[in-house]
C-alpha cells in the first residue's frame, strides 16, 4: 500500500517535492563530524571487520595527524579500552605500531618522508595523554575502568613500551590497599582484581625482572582472599545451614578464581600467557623504543558521601553489593563451559562479565558482541583450526551460564534482573538454533538445584526470569517433564517454584492463555500449580443473601456517589448504633463496620489502580478513623488479604499504599506477615515493609541536609552583611567549638529545618522499630520451634528428600532470615548495639543449635565475625 498519489500532493495538482526543498527547515540531517570526532570514531570502530588488516592502515592515518589531535586520539583509546575490553590487545598493538620510530617504519617513512628521526613518536605522546585519563579514573575510583586500563598497560609492558619496574610499582600500589587498616571488602576486592589481572597478562616479563616482587604480590592477594571466608558462607547460592563448610561445587567465587588462575600461571612461569591472551603485537619488533616509565600513584581513599559525613550514623546507607564476595552459579561441566578456576577460563569469564555490564545500555549490541566474542580470542591452531587444549567450550552454554550467574549474584544482581532476561532473549533471537538448547538445559539444571539447597532468593529470581522468558516465546515449555514432581509436598521448593512461575506468567498474560499451555495434570486444582479461578477481587457482600447486605449496599452507594467523608463517617456511626441494638448480633459492631467500609472501599477501587488511589485519597479521613488501634490495623490488613486472596500482586499494591498514606505502619505489616506464615513467609510483603521504613529515612535525611545547607548559607550571608559586606579571614575561619551536629536542633535554625529534624527523628525511630520487629519475629519463630532446630542438623538434611510441608516451610524461613541479614546489613550495622541487646539478649547463654545459628548469621552479616 502506498501513500503516494499521481500528481504529488493530497490535492492531486502539486509537483512532487525534492529533497532540496526540505533542506531549509529539515533539522534531522546528519550532523557533520569534526576531524577529531572522526579520529575517535575510527579508533572505537577499529577491528570491526579484521583487526590485523586494519591495524597498519589506521596506524598510518593516525601517524599523519598533527600533534594538536593527540588529546582526541588518546580519548579514542580510552573509550575503546574501557568500553570494548576484548579489543585491548589490539589497541596495544596499534599503540606499539605508532611508537615505532620513523627510521624503522617504512610505511611511516613513505607517508612522512621529511619527518625528523628525533621527533617524539606519536605513540609516546598518546601514551602520555592516556595516562592522564587513567589518573582521572583512579581519582574517581572508577574501578572497572581502572582495571581495564591496567590490562592495557600490562600488554604494553610485554611489548617493552612500558618499563617492568614502573609496571611493578603500579601493581604494588594496588596490593598495598589490601594492607590498609580497616579497608572495606569492596575496596580490597577490586584492588586485588586489578593487581591479579595485571599480573596474569604481564607476569612473564615482570617475573623475569623481579620474581620476589611477583611472588609477594600473589601472596598478598591470596592472604586477603583467605581472610574473607566467613562472608563467603553467607552468600554462596547453595550453602547449607547444617554445615559451616563452603561447598566447592556448583558455584565459583570470582576472587577465588583469580587467585587460582594466577597461581597456575605462576607455577609455569607464565609460559602459557600467549595461548590465553591474544598478543597481536608479538610479530612486531623494534630495538630503539625507549620504555615509558609510569609515574608513581597512590590509590586514593574511599569516597564517602557528604551526607554521611554530616551525621554520626548512616541509616540511609545503600545495599552495598560490592562489599560481599561474588559467587557465580555453575550450570554445566568444565568440558562444556569455561572453568573460571583455570587461567583461560578466567580470562573468558572476566571478559564476558565486563561486556555484559558495560553494554547494559544496549542489550542488542551486547548480544551481538557476545556472539562475536570468539574472534577476539586466541585462534585455534593449524590449518584444521584444532581447538586449543581446554578451550573447546560451547560458546552459547558459556554465555548463558555467565549471564545467569551475574543475575543470581547474592545479595543482589549488579543491574536490574530484567536486563539479563532481555539479553538472553536477544541472544535467542540472534541464534535460536544454538542458544535455545543452552537456555533449556540451564532451566533444567536450575530446577534440579531447587531440591538441593538453592538459596531462596535465587529461586525467587529464577521464577521471575523463567516467567519473563516464557512470555517472550509463547509460554512454550515441556511441562510434562515435571508432572512427576506434582507428587511432592506442596511446600517442596520445586512446587513452590512452579506455583510462583505460573503466577507471574498470569500477570504477564492472562489466566486462560497460560492455562492452555499446561498439560492436564497441571490444570487440576488439586495440583496446586494453577489457581482455580482467574485473579480478581472477592467482595463478601456481593451476594444479597449475605448478612448485612443492605448495610453494605448503603455504604457502597455513598462511596460511588462520592459522598463527603464526614457524611460517610456519620452514616457508618448510624449503622453501628443500629447494629448494636440488634439482639442477635454475634460480632463486635466496630469490627463489622470496619469490614463493611473497607471492603466497600476496595470494591470501588478494584476496577484499576487509579480508581483505588482516588478512593483512598478521597476517604483518608474515613480510613484513619477505622484504624485507631493496632488490632484495627491488623484487621484492615486481614480484610485486604481476603478481598484480594486471588491476586497476590494486588495485596502487595494495597499494602504499599496503606503504608504510604500511613494508614498502617511498616511494623504492622511485618507482624501480619509473620502471623500468616503457615504457607511460607511472604518475602515480597516483608521486603516492601522494610523498604518503606528505610525509604522514609532516606527522604527525610536528604531534606535535613538540604535545609541545613540553606540555613548555613543564609547565616553566612547575614554575618557578611553585618560586617559591611566584607568577609575577612576571621569571619571565614571555622571554629571547631561552633560546629554542631546537623541532626541536632539549634536555636538559630529556621522553622522549616526544625520541622524537618523532628520528622527525621520520627522516621528513624520507626526504622529502628521495624528492623527490631523483623528480628524479634525471626528469633521467636526459629528459636521456639522444634522443627526449626531439627532441619538445621546434618542428619536431617541428609534425609531432606523425605521432608514434608512443615520442614520445608521452616527451612525457607531460616533461609529468609539469612537473606534478610545480608541484604539489609548496612542498615542493621547502624543499630547493631541496640538490635543485639533487644533481639539476641535472651540467646547469649543458649547453646542449642538454633540459638547458635541465629547469632552466627547475625554476627557474620554485621561484621562481628
Amino acid at each position: 500500500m502506498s501513500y503516494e498519489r499521481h500528481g504529488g500532493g493530497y490535492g492531486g495538482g502539486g509537483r512532487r517535492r525534492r529533497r532540496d526543498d526540505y533542506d531549509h527547515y529539515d533539522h534531522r540531517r546528519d550532523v557533520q563530524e569534526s576531524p577529531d570526532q572522526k579520529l575517535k570514531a575510527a579508533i572505537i570502530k577499529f577491528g570491526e571487520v579484521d583487526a590485523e588488516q586494519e591495524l597498519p592502515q589506521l596506524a598510518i592515518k593516525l601517524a599523519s595527524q598533527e600533534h594538536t589531535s593527540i588529546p582526541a586520539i588518546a580519548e579514542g583509546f580510552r573509550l575503546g579500552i574501557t568500553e570494548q575490553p576484548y579489543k585491548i590487545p589490539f589497541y596495544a598493538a596499534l599503540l606499539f605500531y605508532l611508537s615505532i620510530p620513523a627510521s624503522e617504519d617504512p610505511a611511516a617513512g613513505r607517508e612522512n618522508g621529511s619527518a625528523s628521526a628525533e621527533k617524539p613518536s606519536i605513540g609516546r605522546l598518546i601514551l602520555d595523554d592516556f595516562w592522564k585519563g587513567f589518573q582521572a579514573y583512579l581519582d574517581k575510583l572508577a574501578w572497572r575502568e581502572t582495571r581495564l586500563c591496567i590490562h592495557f598497560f600490562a600488554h604494553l609492558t610485554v611489548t617493552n613500551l612500558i618499563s617492568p619496574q614502573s609496571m611493578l610499582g603500579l601493581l604494588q600500589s594496588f596490593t598495598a590497599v589490601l594492607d590498609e587498616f580497616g579497608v572495606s571488602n569492596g575496596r580490597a576486592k577490586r584492588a586485588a582484581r586489578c593487581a591479579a589481572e595485571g599480573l596474569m597478562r604481564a607476569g612473564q616479563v615482570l617475573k623475569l625482572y623481579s620474581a620476589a616482587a611477583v611472588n609477594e604480590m600473589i601472596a598478598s592477594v591470596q592472604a586477603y582472599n583467605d581472610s574473607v571466608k566467613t562472608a563467603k558462607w553467607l552468600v554462596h547460592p547453595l550453602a547449607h545451614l547444617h554445615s559451616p563448610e563452603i561447598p566447592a561445587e556448583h558455584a565459583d567465587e570470582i576472587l577465588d578464581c583469580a587467585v587460582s588462575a594466577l597461581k597456575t600461571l605462576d607455577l609455569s612461569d607464565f609460559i602459557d600467557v600467549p595461548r590465553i591472551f591474544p598478543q597481536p603485537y608479538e610479530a612486531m619488533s623494534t630495538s630503539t623504543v625507549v620504555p615509558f616509565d609510569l609515574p608513581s600513584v597512590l590509590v586514593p581513599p574511599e569516597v564517602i558521601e557528604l551526607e554521611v559525613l554530616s551525621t554520626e550514623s548512616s541509616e540511609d546507607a545503600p545495599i552495598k553489593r560490592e562489599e560481599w564476595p561474588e559467587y557465580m552459579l555453575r550450570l554445566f561441566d568444565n568440558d562444556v563451559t569455561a572453568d573460571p578456576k583455570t587461567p583461560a577460563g578466567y580470562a573468558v569469564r572476566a571478559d564476558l562479565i565486563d561486556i555484559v555490564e558495560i553494554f547494559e545500555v544496549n542489550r542488542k549490541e551486547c548480544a551481538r558482541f557476545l556472539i562475536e566474542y570468539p574472534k577476539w580470542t586466541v585462534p585455534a591452531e593449524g590449518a584444521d583450526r584444532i581447538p586449543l587444549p581446554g578451550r573447546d567450550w560451547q560458546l552459547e552454554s558459556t554465555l548463558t551460564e555467565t549471564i545467569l550467574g551475574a543475575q543470581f549474584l547474592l545479595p543482589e544482581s549488579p543491574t536490574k534482573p530484567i536486563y539479563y532476561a532481555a539479553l538472553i532473549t536477544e541472544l535467542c533471537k540472534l541464534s535460536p538454533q544454538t542458544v535455545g538448547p543452552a537456555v533449556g538445559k540451564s532451566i533444567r539444571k536450575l530446577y534440579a538445584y531447587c531440591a538441593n539447597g538453592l538459596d531462596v532468593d535465587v529461586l525467587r529470581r529464577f521464577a521471575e526470569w523463567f516467567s519473563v522468558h516464557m512470555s517472550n516465546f509463547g509460554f512454550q515449555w515441556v511441562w510434562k517433564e515435571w508432572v512427576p514432581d506434582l507428587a511432592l509436598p506442596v511446600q517442596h521448593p520445586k512446587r513452590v517454584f512452579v506455583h510462583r512461575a505460573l503466577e507471574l506468567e498470569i500477570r504477564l498474560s492472562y489466566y486462560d492463555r497460560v492455562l492452555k499451555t499446561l498439560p492436564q495434570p497441571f490444570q487440576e486444582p488439586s495440583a496446586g500449580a494453577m489457581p482455580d479461578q482467574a485473579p480478581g477481587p472477592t467482595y463478601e457482600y456481593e451476594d444479597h443473601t449475605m448478612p448485612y447486605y443492605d448495610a453494605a449496599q448503603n455504604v457502597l452507594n455513598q462511596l460511588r456517589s462520592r459522598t463527603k467523608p464526614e457524611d460517610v463517617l456519620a452514616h457508618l456511626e448510624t449503622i453501628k448504633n443500629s447494629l448494636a441494638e440488634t439482639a442477635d448480633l454475634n460480632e463486635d459492631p466496630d469490627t463489622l463496620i470496619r469490614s463493611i467500609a473497607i471492603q466497600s472501599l476496595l470494591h470501588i477501587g478494584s476496577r484499576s489502580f487509579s480508581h483505588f488511589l482516588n478512593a483512598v485519597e478521597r476517604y483518608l479521613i474515613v480510613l484513619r478513623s477505622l484504624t485507631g488501634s493496632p488490632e484495627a490495623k491488623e484487621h484492615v490488613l486481614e480484610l485486604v488479604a481476603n478481598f484480594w486472596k486471588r491476586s497476590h500482586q494486588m495485596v502487595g499494591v494495597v499494602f504499599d499504599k496503606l503504608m504510604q498514606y500511613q494508614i498502617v505502619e511498616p511494623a504492622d505489616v511485618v507482624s501480619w506477615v509473620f502471623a500468616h506464615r503457615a504457607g511460607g513467609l511472604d518475602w515480597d510483603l516483608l521486603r516492601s515493609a522494610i523498604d518503606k521504613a528505610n525509604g522514609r529515612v532516606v527522604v527525610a535525611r536528604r531534606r535535613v541536609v538540604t535545609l541545613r545547607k540553606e540555613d548555613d548559607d543564609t547565616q553566612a550571608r547575614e554575618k557578611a552583611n553585618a560586617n559591611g559586606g566584607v568577609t575577612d579571614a576571621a569571619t571565614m575561619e571555622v571554629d571547631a567549638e561552633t560546629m554542631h551536629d546537623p541532626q541536632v536542633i539549634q536555636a538559630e535554625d529556621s522553622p522549616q529545618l526544625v520541622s524537618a529534624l523532628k520528622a527525621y527523628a520520627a522516621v528513624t525511630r520507626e526504622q529502628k522499630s521495624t528492623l527490631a520487629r523483623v528480628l524479634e519475629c525471626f528469633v521467636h519463630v526459629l528459636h521456639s520451634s522444634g522443627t526449626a532446630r531439627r532441619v538445621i542438623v546434618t542428619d536431617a538434611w541428609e534425609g531432606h528428600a523425605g521432608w514434608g510441608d512443615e520442614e520445608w516451610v521452616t527451612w525457607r524461613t531460616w533461609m529468609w532470615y539469612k537473606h534478610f541479614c545480608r541484604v539489609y546489613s548496612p542498615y542493621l550495622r547502624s543499630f547493631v548495639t541496640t538490635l543485639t541487646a533487644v533481639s539476641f539478649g535472651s540467646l547469649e547463654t543458649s547453646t542449642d543449635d538454633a540459638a547458635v545459628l541465629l547469632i552466627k548469621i547475625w554476627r557474620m552479616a554485621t561484621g562481628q565475625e
Side-chain angles (χ1 to χ4, degrees), residues 661-722:
Y661 290 107
Q662 297 183 324
I663 306 301
V664 299
E665 299 301 328
D668 299 321
V669 175
V670 169
S671 298
W672 188 90
V673 168
F674 277 93
H676 296 76
R677 67 182 186 280
L681 195 68
D682 194 327
W683 174 253
D684 290 337
L685 296 180
L686 185 62
R687 179 181 59 182
S688 174
I690 299 169
D691 289 346
K692 185 68 68 176
N694 292 335
R696 287 175 180 173
V697 173
V698 173
V699 174
R701 190 153 180 263
R702 286 175 180 167
R703 177 165 173 77
V704 167
V705 171
T706 301
L707 291 175
R708 173 66 71 192
K709 185 177 184 301
E710 292 176 358
D711 254 26
D712 291 344
D713 292 343
T714 301
Q715 292 172 21
R717 285 194 299 269
E718 290 174 353
K719 289 180 181 179
N721 292 335

Side-chain angles (χ1 to χ4, degrees), residues 147-158:
R147 176 168 52 83
L148 296 177
C149 288
I150 289 175
H151 291 186
F152 183 59
F153 293 146
H155 281 285
L156 294 181
T157 303
V158 176

Side-chain angles (χ1 to χ4, degrees), residues 269-287:
D269 292 328
F270 298 89
I271 194 67
D272 293 327
V273 167
R275 297 163 61 88
I276 298 168
F277 302 103
Q279 293 184 345
Y281 42 76
E282 190 175 17
M284 305 178 189
S285 63
T286 179
S287 58

